[in-house]
Amino acid sequence: MWCSQTRILPLVDLVITHGGNNTTTEALHFGKPMILLPLFWDQHDNAQRMAELGYGVRLDPYRFTDSQLHGAIDRLLGDTALRRTLTETGGTIRARDGLLTAADLIERAAAG
């Protein structure tokens, strides 16, 4: 069964992801904290940035323990300041209407 991630993300409290570009940017778009379990390429950088910003917790996908995962979940869901910050961040991102801005820039570049 397939389900649109962008329809599900607004309904969740937390995102557990490998940290790929799409999920990371979509989680930010909807203001959701993340637990990131990077496997390769961009995922390591995204996980590191989200951890540095405090928007998520980076765990080693091959070595994390149940208590580390439960602790990360509890910490992220219980951090009201973080949830407020991410809600504001998501609102700012959505207000910028990046899709329209990008389309306008492409049309201007094509027109030359």
Side-chain angles (χ1 to χ4, degrees):
M1 179 179 173
W2 180 86
C3 187
S4 169
Q5 182 166 281
T6 56
R7 288 187 178 208
I8 296 297
L9 286 176
L11 306 175
V12 304
D13 295 320
L14 173 80
V15 176
I16 299 176
T17 176
H18 56 70
N21 284 330
N22 284 345
T23 302
T24 301
T25 57
E26 289 170 357
L28 287 172
H29 178 86
F30 292 109
K32 304 300 178 178
M34 292 170 261
I35 295 175
L36 302 110
L37 303 155
L39 299 170
F40 51 87
W41 299 315
D42 62 317
Q43 299 166 7
H44 293 288
D45 291 333
N46 293 336
Q48 187 63 33
R49 295 308 157 270
M50 293 302 100
E52 288 172 357
L53 290 168
Y55 291 171
V57 173
R58 178 182 182 167
L59 296 176
D60 184 323
Y62 301 107
R63 293 183 183 87
F64 74 89
T65 64
D66 288 351
S67 64
Q68 288 173 317
L69 179 60
H70 291 149
I73 291 169
D74 291 343
R75 186 176 119 216
L76 291 172
L77 292 179
D79 189 338
T80 55
L82 172 61
R83 297 191 67 73
R84 190 171 35 257
T85 297
L86 282 168
T87 297
E88 291 170 6
T89 299
T92 300
I93 292 168
R94 289 187 306 277
R96 289 183 180 157
D97 197 6
L99 184 61
L100 181 61
T101 302
D104 287 344
L105 289 170
I106 291 168
E107 286 180 357
R108 276 191 253 152

